[in-house]
Amino acid sequence: MTDYPWQPGTATGVGSYPGEDPAEALRIVLGELPGLPHLPELPARGPGADLAGRTAGLLIDMPVHLEPSGWRFSDRPGRDTLRSRDHLARDLDVLEEVAGGHDGPFKIQVCGPWTLAASIELRHGDRALKDPGAVRDLAASLAEGVAAHVAGVRRRLPAATIVLQLDEPGLPAVLAGTVPTASGFSRLRAIEEPVAEETLRRVIEAAEAYPVVHCCARDVPYGLLRGAGAKAISVDLRMVPRRDDDAVGEAIDAGTGLFLGAVPATDAALPSLRATAEPVQDLWRRLGFPAAHLGRQVVITPACGMAGASPRYVRQALERCRETAGMLYEAAD
């Protein structure tokens, strides 16, 4: 069977949390998700703590600044680029202080190249996605920056196995040609799958960490992600329609890990433990795979990031993820 860095019956988070205190958020993660903790993202801290801005701070020789329309490339590093880097530097200092002795898998998250290209504007205002040359430069810069980030985390957690999650919620729109132009009056051309796969592979291979790709949108391109080197794919379970059964089944058969978002990411009345686990079990049974593999191959997560949730709900939801993962493993054992 495929070797996974996590133990059977594991749960983890997707990335973002409410609040502005990185130490408190990390303590919650370590307490509720001991099997696969991760570095929390806190977008409530403002510009530079959001997904695109945080990752843009990792880019090498491609500074950004914030415009009313969003992030845009700059000629030189300014206040906004420095703010992004300051947030991350503080988070890594807290990580070393609070979790420096962690000796299991540990996950970090960055924005993937295609979602980033669809989010950042060129100097003249069009999205980087519009310019193939700009996308190539962005991917090369991101690959170098992510590799340095992984190395930095590894220095702070020398006994940990680093799991790298690339967030690509925008990839299905990139492939479908539905990303709006900066003006919003038209759509950018669709990117061909071989090009998308190769660009994503470049970043994955440079990182030298266990690669997971997260896509909480519809029409997840499972085959493309596996072709690019993803060893696990993270999805919102509600976004897995029956028409994806063949693609999901092929991923499972290939040994690809599945991070399944089975718990609501924003405040909600949580269903029972059994009701939370049932959709996961139903998917596995429908696809005809041995129940014994489920607890090993599947990691339970919230449906998406939890920045919009209340702190109290975050604890409840993470606890439910952990309990669900344990139940699924015990039931299949």
Side-chain angles (χ1 to χ4, degrees):
M1 185 180 290
T2 303
D3 186 27
Y4 305 102
W6 57 84
Q7 293 299 310
T10 290
T12 193
V14 172
S16 64
Y17 288 91
E20 301 181 27
D21 185 342
E24 174 63 15
L26 183 56
R27 290 188 185 100
I28 292 171
V29 168
L30 291 167
E32 299 294 345
L33 304 169
L36 182 48
H38 66 98
L39 187 63
E41 300 162 357
L42 304 174
R45 290 183 291 184
D50 59 292
L51 178 63
R54 184 177 177 87
T55 302
L58 298 174
L59 296 175
I60 305 300
D61 297 328
M62 295 188 78
V64 296
H65 69 277
L66 195 59
E67 293 279 341
S69 58
W71 292 100
R72 182 175 294 183
F73 288 117
S74 306
D75 292 326
R76 63 184 63 85
R79 177 181 59 188
D80 297 313
T81 296
L82 297 177
R83 185 189 293 116
S84 299
R85 294 173 180 170
D86 286 347
H87 282 316
L88 186 56
R90 183 186 176 201
D91 290 350
L92 294 182
D93 287 344
V94 167
L95 175 64
E96 184 172 15
E97 178 183 344
V98 175
H102 181 72
D103 61 357
F106 189 89
K107 182 166 72 72
I108 58 176
Q109 306 83 217
V110 300
C111 188
W114 291 107
T115 299
L116 199 62
S119 302
I120 301 182
E121 296 176 351
L122 302 170
R123 291 178 180 86
H124 55 75
D126 287 320
R127 297 181 192 273
L129 182 62
K130 184 178 181 179
D131 184 338
V135 172
R136 285 193 296 271
D137 291 345
L138 173 61
S141 176
L142 180 62
E144 186 177 354
V146 169
H149 180 41
V150 169
V153 173
R154 195 169 274 134
R155 284 194 299 272
R156 289 167 170 83
L157 303 181
T161 299
I162 306 303
V163 176
L164 173 68
Q165 176 180 303
L166 290 167
D167 288 316
E168 283 285 16
L171 180 56
V174 167
L175 296 172
T178 59
V179 177
T181 59
S183 68
F185 293 120
S186 59
R187 298 290 182 266
L188 297 176
R189 64 180 180 86
I191 301 298
E192 295 180 355
E193 288 203 7
V195 175
E197 182 178 310
E198 173 57 31
T199 300
L200 186 57
R201 183 187 302 115
R202 184 174 189 176
V203 179
I204 286 174
E205 290 181 347
E208 297 185 355
Y210 189 93
V212 179
V213 178
H214 170 70
C215 184
C216 54
R218 296 188 185 278
D219 301 319
V220 175
Y222 295 92
L224 185 158
L225 300 181
R226 290 193 297 114
K231 293 185 178 180
I233 298 172
S234 172
V235 298
D236 180 346
L237 187 55
R238 299 170 304 172
M239 301 288 187
V240 183
R242 285 181 178 267
R243 68 173 182 271
D244 285 352
D245 278 3
D246 287 347
V248 176
E250 289 171 3
I252 295 172
D253 195 48
T256 305
L258 286 182
F259 287 35
L260 296 181
V263 175
T266 53
D267 290 37
L270 288 174
S272 68
L273 180 58
R274 183 173 298 278
T276 305
E278 279 178 353
V280 180
Q281 293 171 318
D282 288 347
L283 173 67
W284 209 258
R285 281 195 296 264
R286 191 169 80 232
L287 297 176
F289 288 96
H293 292 184
L294 193 160
R296 189 79 181 94
Q297 196 162 351
V298 169
V299 173
I300 299 300
T301 75
C304 202
M306 303 191 72
S310 66
R312 179 180 179 184
Y313 178 77
V314 166
R315 288 181 180 271
Q316 293 173 343
L318 296 184
E319 181 181 24
R320 178 55 52 84
C321 289
R322 188 181 73 250
E323 292 173 344
T324 301
M327 176 183 171
L328 288 167
Y329 175 56
E330 292 168 6
D333 192 15

